[in-house]
Amino acid sequence: MRQNGAALLVTLALIGLLTVILVAFLSFTTEQQSVSSLSAISEQNQLAAAYASRLVIHDLQNEIKAGSRNITPDPPESPPILYPANPKASVPAQACKHPIAPSNLLKQSAFKVSFFPAETLPTASAAPSGVAIETSVYPNSQTHPPSSRASSVSSLVPALGGRFIPASRWNAPALLPRKLAQSSSDLSPANSGFFAAQFQNEPWSWSPPDWILIQSDGTTPSTWSTSHRWQPLSPQSVHHRFAFQLYDIGGLLDLNVAGCDPSLSKSGKAARRGSLGLCDLTQLGFTPDAISELIQWRNGATLQESDTPPFGDRYMNML
């Protein structure tokens, strides 16, 4: 009886040990499966984001090619040279939801809005030099047609899970005019306004961009149908979406280096310009006091140095 009891205890102990091992194995396997699944989803999202970027870059390249004429390179094996067909084609066209958008907003993903217009310029005669002038802004638009990828669904419309992109998030770069221009924290964009300076009577409008849908086969349908619902191995299943805005930031100043104290301008020391650090920020609406405070905060260490040659001014010496 004692031997039978000992054998039973050993058997129960082994069963308990095997149970603990089995539970630990299943727990570890489940955890690893979850980690693997999250890793796969993350990889899919990264690939989709890279593909979306390539689509936008491809559309920009198409616009360049559509508005260019080829020049035979010399030597022939050199890369092809694209020369603007006319001055209007040398800059990107504005293509947004509203015909007149904020001036620095170049393009949006917008329903039924082409990436660039295939319009034509008024017929022009030959230039005085005898060189013919292209009458079409995009003479190669048939070979490189503009895309219109966006769906009719705004990025403000919540998904089934309730997620959406609010208008304020679209102004995270702070490149759109704001509703509360004096606020340092609220970046909510204004939906309308008027151009400054000579275009005071010209109103502009802004609305959030629309979603671009990506199917499993890489195409971007602009209309939704039941065939786009998720189905395993279906090339028409929509698995990702994206929206975009493109800006012209060529006229912006970098406040990490731009601007100088107004006293330099008054003394004539900044008259030679030639440096971003000598630009006159009062032309942008900054008050002299605000500029002085910016320089004191940004260039505090420089302003603690002594005035020594060659310029006799600490800030000029730094530049």
Side-chain angles (χ1 to χ4, degrees):
M1 292 295 292
R2 291 181 179 178
Q3 293 178 349
N4 292 339
L8 179 61
L9 289 176
V10 172
T11 303
L12 291 175
L14 290 175
I15 291 175
L17 179 61
L18 289 174
T19 302
V20 171
I21 294 175
L22 181 60
V23 170
F25 175 76
L26 290 176
S27 177
F28 177 77
T29 303
T30 302
E31 181 182 357
Q32 291 302 309
Q33 183 181 13
S34 176
V35 171
S36 177
S37 176
L38 291 175
S39 177
I41 293 175
S42 176
E43 185 69 22
Q44 290 176 0
N45 291 337
Q46 290 181 20
L47 291 174
Y51 181 70
S53 299
R54 287 303 308 166
L55 282 178
V56 177
I57 293 174
H58 172 75
D59 289 339
L60 288 169
Q61 293 172 335
N62 248 12
E63 182 177 2
I64 295 173
K65 294 175 182 177
S68 302
R69 55 187 178 90
N70 293 328
I71 298 178
T72 303
D74 186 21
E77 62 271 13
S78 301
I81 300 174
L82 299 178
Y83 190 83
N86 51 72
K88 193 172 183 179
S90 64
V91 295
Q94 194 173 50
C96 302
K97 268 190 172 183
H98 299 281
I100 302 179
S103 55
N104 64 330
L105 179 61
L106 283 180
K107 299 182 187 293
Q108 286 180 301
S109 52
F111 183 54
K112 291 185 177 180
V113 174
S114 298
F115 200 81
F116 59 91
E119 68 206 30
T120 57
L121 288 172
T123 303
S125 58
S129 60
V131 179
I133 299 176
E134 286 281 0
T135 58
S136 174
V137 181
Y138 301 101
N140 299 320
S141 59
Q142 292 186 348
T143 308
H144 306 282
S147 67
S148 181
R149 306 182 188 277
S151 68
S152 60
V153 182
S154 170
S155 55
L156 283 181
V157 177
L160 291 178
R163 293 177 298 176
F164 66 98
I165 298 182
S168 58
R169 186 175 175 187
W170 279 112
N171 203 26
L175 294 175
L176 291 173
R178 293 177 291 165
K179 285 183 178 179
L180 303 176
Q182 304 303 321
S183 174
S184 59
S185 57
D186 189 354
L187 296 177
S188 299
N191 294 323
S192 61
F194 290 87
F195 289 115
Q198 67 267 37
F199 302 110
Q200 291 245 351
N201 297 323
E202 192 73 39
W204 56 261
S205 301
W206 177 85
S207 296
D210 300 324
W211 289 116
I212 295 178
L213 310 176
I214 304 179
Q215 291 182 174
S216 296
D217 61 0
T219 57
T220 54
S222 58
T223 56
W224 176 265
S225 70
T226 55
S227 63
H228 296 142
R229 293 175 180 173
W230 173 252
Q231 302 175 44
L233 305 180
S234 172
Q236 293 184 322
S237 295
V238 171
H239 56 81
H240 282 87
R241 63 182 182 175
F242 74 98
F244 69 85
Q245 291 192 147
L246 298 181
Y247 297 91
D248 177 6
I249 59 172
L252 299 183
L253 294 176
D254 183 0
L255 278 184
N256 290 303
V257 293
C260 63
D261 195 282
S263 62
L264 287 179
S265 299
K266 292 179 180 179
S267 64
K269 293 181 180 179
R272 62 185 186 87
R273 302 303 182 201
S275 170
L276 190 60
L278 293 176
C279 65
D280 185 4
L281 295 181
T282 60
Q283 301 301 313
L284 300 179
F286 285 79
T287 64
D289 290 341
I291 298 174
S292 297
E293 291 178 3
L294 170 66
I295 302 301
Q296 289 286 343
W297 170 77
R298 188 186 68 191
N299 303 95
T302 297
L303 298 180
Q304 291 178 8
E305 299 177 1
S306 58
D307 291 330
T308 57
F311 298 107
D313 182 274
R314 294 161 287 186
Y315 187 75
M316 295 293 289
N317 286 338
M318 183 272 295
L319 294 180

